[in-house]
Amino acid sequence: AQKITQTQPGMFVQEKEAVTLDCTYDTSDPSYGLFWYKQPSSGEMIFLIYQGSYDQQNATEGRYSLNFQKARKSANLVISASQLGDSAMYFCAMRGRNSGNTPLVFGKGTRLSVIA
Amino acid sequence: DVKVTQSSRYLVKRTGEKVFLECVQDMDHENMFWYRQDPGLGLRLIYFSYDVKMKEKGDIPEGYSVSREKKERFSLILESASTNQTSMYLCASRTGGESNQPQHFGDGTRLSIL
């Protein structure tokens, strides 16, 4: 079974600073995928970034990057140059066996607050 | 863009009622999912379906059932609603086969059982 652990219930960051949101995972599958989602107060889940277990490089999407350390089983999200609109819940999720039919397993989330 | 539509943003029902939550996706996705979200617990999988008329239990299926008669529609049913089913319900869909594709979510239904 897969498990995602997000140890930071809440984080604060100053506007324009970078912030790292932690995510560790546990799986026995040799092939898996890791995802990050953002959930603003309005409730919709917005997909941010994906990292495959066999990807050689860390994923990046605009201001989002993933610090993937396979040996440590961690997949931390880095947000550079934080903006007020980044205030939201952030969820780390994984799919084991990296199969299209397998549901995502989610962590409990981290609430990020960006301060002006 | 993928569109996942949940029938209601807010819903109030009474204990003992049979409640239907509807979800429709417009991208011909094979896979559909129902999660519930509670503060401090994250998203927990209730049921999912990988094809028409197919369903699989998730982590917390008790008190729920699902129906998938057409590919685009996945319904969650609370057979006899109870107050502990007050929650945010999120539907998602995803294409099959391609491993790096994310799940696409609807806007959620905030369900209150009184």
Side-chain angles (χ1 to χ4, degrees):
Chain A
Q2 291 80 41
K3 185 177 180 182
I4 293 284
T5 302
Q6 295 181 254
T7 57
Q8 307 152 314
M11 291 277 289
F12 289 89
V13 65
Q14 202 78 32
E15 197 178 8
K16 299 180 185 177
E17 303 260 312
V19 63
T20 298
L21 306 183
D22 293 341
C23 173
T24 57
Y25 59 90
D26 190 24
T27 181
S28 56
D29 292 324
S31 174
Y32 50 88
L34 294 151
F35 299 76
W36 276 91
Y37 283 82
K38 172 185 178 182
Q39 187 183 41
S41 56
S42 50
E44 73 271 27
M45 295 283 284
I46 302 167
F47 165 68
L48 296 177
I49 196 167
Y50 166 84
Q51 179 83 44
S53 58
Y54 289 117
D55 292 346
Q56 294 297 312
Q57 295 193 336
N58 288 343
T60 61
E61 287 287 349
R63 293 187 299 111
Y64 304 108
S65 60
L66 214 150
N67 183 3
F68 180 50
Q69 298 188 47
K70 195 171 181 177
R72 294 187 175 185
K73 293 190 174 180
S74 74
N76 300 337
L77 178 70
V78 180
I79 305 175
S80 63
S82 297
Q83 302 171 357
L84 295 177
D86 294 334
S87 294
M89 282 290 290
Y90 288 81
F91 290 96
C92 181
M94 76 175 298
R95 173 179 299 121
R97 298 197 302 278
N98 227 5
S99 158
N101 293 340
T102 310
L104 290 178
V105 174
F106 285 83
K108 295 182 179 180
T110 295
R111 182 172 298 281
L112 177 67
S113 299
V114 181
I115 305 165
Chain B
D1 266 359
V2 175
K3 185 69 175 174
V4 179
T5 303
Q6 294 183 230
S7 52
S8 306
R9 288 300 301 270
Y10 300 93
L11 204 54
V12 180
K13 296 291 183 180
R14 296 205 173 274
T15 54
E17 281 193 67
K18 192 169 186 176
V19 181
F20 294 84
L21 302 184
E22 307 287 349
C23 176
V24 177
Q25 50 95 3
D26 66 357
M27 284 302 291
D28 202 37
H29 283 169
E30 291 82 0
N31 301 297
M32 296 188 75
F33 312 88
W34 275 107
Y35 292 86
R36 67 176 279 176
Q37 181 182 2
D38 300 287
L41 297 179
L43 278 72
R44 294 179 292 166
L45 182 68
I46 305 172
Y47 269 97
F48 67 103
S49 169
Y50 54 87
D51 204 349
V52 175
K53 297 192 185 294
M54 305 303 289
K55 61 184 178 183
E56 295 281 346
K57 291 181 180 179
D59 299 317
I60 51 164
E62 296 79 18
Y64 303 95
S65 63
V66 290
S67 172
R68 194 165 180 204
E69 296 296 318
K70 293 185 177 181
K71 191 174 186 179
E72 67 270 19
R73 185 180 297 270
F74 192 36
S75 303
L76 180 69
I77 303 154
L78 286 65
E79 297 291 343
S80 178
S82 64
T83 54
N84 62 13
Q85 293 177 310
T86 291
S87 187
M88 169 76 136
Y89 290 86
L90 289 160
C91 175
S93 75
R94 185 188 178 283
T95 186
E98 297 176 37
S99 59
N100 62 345
Q101 293 301 302
Q103 289 176 192
H104 299 271
F105 284 84
D107 289 341
T109 296
R110 293 187 187 274
L111 175 63
S112 296
I113 306 296
L114 304 179

